[in-house]
């Protein structure tokens, strides 16, 4: 987990308690340990539970691993990281909306129920496959303010000296006080509202009122606080102390934390959505909301302006198209690296017969680990090419011939440890919080989205009185001025986010998925894709399977979920890997939400049981 996170025990209720009135945007109802609500109070939320009959956790506050999937024969399916968002998306479909309508509603809903991960103050990507065969990639990633430069941060003296003495011209520097992740100089121009409204207008069928009203209602009625959300709030308490508006939004008026089973309302968020519903994109990027965003950033010493907000533009382009064993892969295009890393990983693995190697065998896991390391090294070299980088060089590293060369090198050097000098790599050690979801409709439209505020609760700066947090996108830039990913005016940073759609040879969809994390997105995608395609697993079975996290750079190190057999672990250790055991269901391996279009015509929605995800169809 990242440096910003601290191991703090879950704050779980141990019995029925008297309801406590919250501050302006939060209300605590009676809290009990099992998400039921006491009927002994006069609270408006008595007997209300936004999870309905879905049992997410037990009486001890432990997440239940079953019941996350869904099946559908009527061609509609939604899978998101929160039950309430999934329910709203399905409601939009049932009311005649298409997948893009539902995706927009889900995006706004997740900003309410998963504010640590995404929201109005963030950005992201949307990959679309329309029923007519058109494929689009909507880029609404947050961007740097016009005045942004790397010199706006102060760097640690130690890293400055290391940079001056190093022979390596590509050198990351440590920003003092993590100011590129926390505070005003971490904030970029939010893109989510513009992105959702653009997709809705261009490819949707419903009005903004139709998709926003259910979210506004939920914000006013409230949602049930889960053990996961309790932990997120607890982990962020230390940052709330430095940013009182943050605490005002997410703590009770007496400064105490909300507990599992409480009902959390956000009337400020509802009012902000009302402004967006009434005034469209101008309701966020101009007027009182925009002024509040700029005022809050300036209050803490930032450089965001009203012109930055007014000038934000959504990019509508084509996705990166590649293939794996005859299937077409649609993912994030250049210059973003998530789609490239997934493409290159799959092209390398395509040179090996995984079905014969054996699922979750030491041989397969070793192959995965080395492939992920080799691809990471190759992409880092590409990123460091800076001015030499071109579209042709990008296509070259994604070619099948290049992948064959990498695979050949791996087979000829089975005992060689893949290393990458740490001094040449941008290593981000803060926690990344992200939302992901997939949706499909009866017409055959498929949408998958990944959206984020970057670090947990973004920059820790709240748009006070408007119910949402501002992103920390500036932390995604490199502090190396020679890097392809260096900071510059109005630039969007590179990202590993890669919402992906897999098509059959006839162009019909096979799989749609998103992954929430930072470095593990390509490796987790490859692990699950190969289980579905090479090992013929169901999607929920693949999502539930134990994972490895080979993300350590410059080491032959594998962190693994504690559900692999001892024989597998011991064999990998004998091969020279540093094996580190993690939780049986480790959240650090990433979060997956997706839809599988099975050959029998049934849709299978899968949601990650490591988190709060739920699929409905």
């Amino acid at each position: 987990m990242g440096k910003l996170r601290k191991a703090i025990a879950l704050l779980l209720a141990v019995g029925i308690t008297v309801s406590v009135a919250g501050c302006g945007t939060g209300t605590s109802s009676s809290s009990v340990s099992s998400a039921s609500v006491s009927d002994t109070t006069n609270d408006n939320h008595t007997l209300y539970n936004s999870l309905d009959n879905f049992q997410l956790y037990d009486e001890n506050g432990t997440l239940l691993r079953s019941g996350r999937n869904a099946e559908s024969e009527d061609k509609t399916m939604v899978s998101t990281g929160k039950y309430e968002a999934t329910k709203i998306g399905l409601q939009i479909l049932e009311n005649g909306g298409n997948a893009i309508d539902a995706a927009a509603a889900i995006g706004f809903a997740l900003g309410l129920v998963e504010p640590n991960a995404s929201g109005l103050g963030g950005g992201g990507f949307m990959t679309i496959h329309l029923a007519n065969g058109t494929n689009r990639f909507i880029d609404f990633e947050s961007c740097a303010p016009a005045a942004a430069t790397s010199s706006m941060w102060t760097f640690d003296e130690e890293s400055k000296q290391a940079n001056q003495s190093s022979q390596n011209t590509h050198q990351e520097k440590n920003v003092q006080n993590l100011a590129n992740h926390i505070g005003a100089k971490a904030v970029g121009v939010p893109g989510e509202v513009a992105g959702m409204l653009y997709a809705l207008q261009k490819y949707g069928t419903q009005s903004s009122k139709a998709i926003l009203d259910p979210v506004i209602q939920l914000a006013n009625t409230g949602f049930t606080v889960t053990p996961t959300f309790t932990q997120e709030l607890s982990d962020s308490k230390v940052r709330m102390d430095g940013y009182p508006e943050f605490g005002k939004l997410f703590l009770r008026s007496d400064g105490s934390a909300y507990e599992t089973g409480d009902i959390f309302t956000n009337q400020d968020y509802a009012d902000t959505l009302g402004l967006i519903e009434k005034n469209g994109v101008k309701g966020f990027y101009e007027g009182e909301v925009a002024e509040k965003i700029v005022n809050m950033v300036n209050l803490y010493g930032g450089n965001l302006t009203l012109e930055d907000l007014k000038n934000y533009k959504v990019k509508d382009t084509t996705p990166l198209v590649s293939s794996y064993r005859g299937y077409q892969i649609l993912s994030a295009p250049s210059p973003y690296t998530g789609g490239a890393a997934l493409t290159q990983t799959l092209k390398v693995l395509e040179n090996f017969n995984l079905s014969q190697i054996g699922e979750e065998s030491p041989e397969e896991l070793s192959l995965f680990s080395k492939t992920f390391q080799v691809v990471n090294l190759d992409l880092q070299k590409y990123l460091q090419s800076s001015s030499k980088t071109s579209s042709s060089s990008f296509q070259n590293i994604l070619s099948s011939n290049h992948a064959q060369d990498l695979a050949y090198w791996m087979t000829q050097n089975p005992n060689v440890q893949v290393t990458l000098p740490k001094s040449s790599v941008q290593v981000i050690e803060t926690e990344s919080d992200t939302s992901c979801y997939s949706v499909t409709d009866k017409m055959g439209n498929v949408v998958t989205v990944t959206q984020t505020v970057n670090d947990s609760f973004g920059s820790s700066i709240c748009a006070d009185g408007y119910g949402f947090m501002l992103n920390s996108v500036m932390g995604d830039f490199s502090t190396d001025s020679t890097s392809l990913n260096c900071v510059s005016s109005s630039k969007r940073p590179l990202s590993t986010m890669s919402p992906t759609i897999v098509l059959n040879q006839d162009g019909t969809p096979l799989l749609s998925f998103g992954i929430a994390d930072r470095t593990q997105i390509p490796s987790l995608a490859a692990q699950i894709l190969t289980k579905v395609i090479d090992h013929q697993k169901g999607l929920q079975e693949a999502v539930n399977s134990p994972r490895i996290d080979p993300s350590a750079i410059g080491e032959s190190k594998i962190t693994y979920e504690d559900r692999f057999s001892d024989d597998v672990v011991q064999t990998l250790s004998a091969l020279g890997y540093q094996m580190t055991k993690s939780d049986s269901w480790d959240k650090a391996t990433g979060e997956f939400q997706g839809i599988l279009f099975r050959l029998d015509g049934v849709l299978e929605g899968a949601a990650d049981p490591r988190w709060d995800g739920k699929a409905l169809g």
Side-chain angles (χ1 to χ4, degrees):
M1 305 295 281
K3 288 182 178 177
L4 298 181
R5 316 285 285 195
K6 294 186 176 180
I8 302 176
L10 288 173
L11 299 176
L12 300 177
V14 294
I16 298 175
T17 60
V18 178
S19 66
V20 180
C23 59
T25 55
T27 301
S28 173
S29 73
S30 304
S31 75
V32 296
S33 58
S34 62
S36 61
V37 182
S38 168
D39 61 358
T40 61
T41 74
N42 293 321
D43 192 283
N44 290 332
H45 300 298
T46 298
L47 298 179
Y48 170 71
N49 177 4
S50 68
L51 296 174
D52 300 326
N53 294 321
F54 170 49
Q55 294 298 309
L56 176 65
Y57 53 93
D58 64 18
E59 65 275 6
N60 298 313
T62 302
L63 292 181
L64 300 175
R65 311 300 176 182
S66 60
R68 305 304 191 91
N69 64 317
E71 293 186 351
S72 171
E73 296 182 358
D74 73 351
K75 307 304 180 184
T76 60
M77 183 63 68
V78 181
S79 178
T80 85
K82 292 286 185 177
Y83 171 83
E84 298 90 346
T86 301
K87 183 180 176 182
I88 284 176
L90 187 61
Q91 176 184 336
I92 297 297
L93 295 178
E94 291 174 342
N95 289 341
N98 68 8
I100 296 85
D101 299 319
I106 291 166
F108 286 114
L110 286 172
L112 169 67
V113 298
E114 200 171 44
N116 55 290
S118 64
L120 307 183
F125 303 143
M126 176 185 292
T127 303
I128 301 174
H129 170 73
L130 296 177
N132 64 9
T134 300
N135 301 314
R136 302 306 298 168
F137 182 82
I138 311 301
D139 176 355
F140 55 97
E141 174 66 308
S142 303
C143 68
T149 67
S150 59
S151 62
M152 68 184 184
W153 298 309
T154 301
F155 299 102
D156 290 338
E157 288 298 322
E158 181 179 345
S159 66
K160 282 184 179 180
Q161 294 170 2
N163 185 43
Q164 292 168 356
S165 61
S166 174
Q167 297 299 313
N168 192 330
T169 59
H170 299 282
Q171 180 72 43
E172 292 296 325
K173 295 174 283 186
N174 297 324
V175 178
Q176 265 188 17
N177 302 318
L178 286 174
N180 55 339
H181 289 274
I182 303 173
K185 293 180 180 177
V187 180
V189 184
E192 178 164 322
V193 174
M196 292 299 160
L197 293 183
Y198 173 87
L200 182 66
Q201 181 179 19
K202 180 77 173 181
Y203 302 106
T205 64
Q206 302 288 296
S207 67
S208 59
K209 177 177 174 58
I211 67 123
L212 288 173
D213 276 357
V215 187
I216 292 172
Q217 180 180 351
L218 180 63
N220 283 318
T221 305
F223 63 91
T224 303
V225 174
T226 69
T228 301
F229 192 49
T230 302
Q231 186 70 57
E232 293 286 349
L233 292 172
S234 180
D235 288 351
S236 299
K237 179 63 167 61
V238 65
R239 286 188 287 144
M240 294 179 189
D241 295 339
Y243 296 89
E245 301 84 6
F246 184 6
K248 176 184 173 184
L249 179 58
F250 291 109
L251 295 176
R252 294 174 174 141
S253 57
D254 63 359
S256 62
Y258 286 91
E259 298 179 336
T260 298
D262 284 351
I263 301 299
F264 185 90
T265 63
N266 192 339
Q267 284 88 11
D268 289 344
Y269 191 87
D271 292 343
T272 301
L273 293 187
L275 291 172
I276 295 170
E277 181 179 297
K278 178 181 178 181
N279 301 312
V281 70
K282 290 185 178 181
F284 185 86
Y285 291 90
E286 299 180 34
E288 61 180 274
V289 179
E291 290 172 0
K292 174 57 68 171
I293 292 172
V294 171
N295 288 342
M296 292 305 303
V297 172
N298 289 341
L299 175 66
Y300 289 100
N303 53 16
L304 192 68
T305 69
L306 289 172
E307 286 300 307
D308 288 326
L309 291 167
K310 187 176 181 179
N311 292 335
Y312 183 84
K313 294 290 186 293
V314 176
K315 297 181 180 180
D316 186 343
T317 184
T318 56
L320 174 67
V321 180
S322 60
S323 65
Y324 179 69
R325 305 204 193 281
Y327 296 98
Q328 191 176 75
I329 313 292
L330 311 176
S331 197
S334 172
Y336 300 112
T337 56
L342 175 58
T343 295
Q344 196 173 23
T345 298
L346 293 175
K347 284 189 175 295
V348 171
L349 292 175
E350 203 169 24
N351 291 277
F352 301 90
N353 192 333
L354 296 182
S355 60
Q356 290 187 359
I357 290 177
E359 182 186 9
E360 296 176 7
S361 65
E363 293 79 11
E364 183 182 69
L365 298 178
S366 176
L367 174 61
F368 281 166
S369 180
K370 182 164 287 190
T371 299
F372 300 151
Q373 293 280 356
V374 166
V375 168
N376 182 64
L377 172 61
D378 207 45
L379 286 174
Q380 288 292 342
K381 289 179 178 178
Y382 163 77
L383 294 178
Q384 292 170 1
S385 62
S386 191
S387 61
K388 298 178 184 178
T389 301
S390 65
S391 59
S392 60
S393 64
F394 185 79
Q395 291 302 319
N396 179 62
I397 67 169
L398 300 182
S399 69
S400 296
N401 288 338
H402 185 65
Q404 289 174 0
D405 291 341
L406 294 178
Y408 179 78
W409 181 89
M410 289 165 57
T411 58
Q412 295 302 301
N413 299 275
N415 298 317
V416 174
Q417 304 299 330
V418 179
T419 60
L420 182 62
K422 290 185 178 180
S423 62
S424 67
V425 183
Q426 180 187 9
V427 180
I428 300 173
E429 298 184 5
T430 52
E431 183 71 7
S432 175
D433 273 29
T434 305
S435 299
C436 59
Y437 54 98
S438 287
V439 56
T440 186
D441 60 35
K442 293 180 179 180
M443 290 77 75
N445 302 300
V446 184
V447 180
T448 178
V449 178
T450 307
Q451 58 188 45
T452 186
V453 289
N454 293 73
D455 300 291
S456 184
F457 292 102
S459 62
S460 299
I461 295 180
C462 171
D464 188 30
Y466 291 86
F468 64 93
M469 302 299 295
L470 296 173
N471 67 78
S472 57
V473 73
M474 300 306 292
D476 279 1
F477 284 106
S478 169
T479 58
D480 174 7
S481 61
T482 66
S483 169
L484 180 67
N485 194 32
C486 65
V487 183
S488 66
S489 176
S490 303
K491 183 177 179 179
R492 303 182 190 205
L494 298 187
S495 173
T496 58
M497 292 190 298
S498 47
T500 300
I501 295 173
V502 181
L503 303 178
N504 294 299
Q505 291 183 357
D506 62 0
T508 59
L510 170 72
L511 182 61
S512 170
F513 65 87
I515 293 175
D517 202 81
R518 193 188 297 275
T519 57
Q520 287 87 356
I521 289 176
S523 61
L524 176 54
Q527 289 179 75
I528 293 181
L529 265 176
T530 54
K531 285 184 181 297
V532 172
I533 293 176
D534 294 280
H535 299 300
Q536 300 295 299
K537 297 291 185 182
L539 188 56
Q540 190 66 54
E541 184 181 5
V543 174
N544 289 358
S545 297
R547 302 169 183 170
I548 63 170
D549 171 16
S551 62
I553 297 174
E555 304 174 20
S556 288
K557 177 180 177 181
I558 296 177
T559 300
Y560 63 96
E561 289 186 322
D562 188 22
R563 288 183 287 136
F564 288 101
S565 71
D566 290 341
D567 288 344
V568 168
V569 174
Q570 291 169 6
T571 300
L572 286 169
S573 181
L575 289 173
Y577 289 97
Q578 300 175 40
M579 302 299 292
T580 302
K581 180 170 61 178
S582 67
D583 296 337
S584 296
W585 300 85
D586 187 5
K587 291 183 175 180
T589 62
E591 177 185 359
F592 182 103
Q593 320 293 344
I595 301 169
L596 177 65
F597 298 74
R598 295 190 335 211
L599 292 177
D600 61 3
V602 174
L603 298 181
E604 180 188 0
D608 206 317
R610 295 159 184 80
W611 298 80
D612 290 357
K614 180 70 178 89
L616 292 172

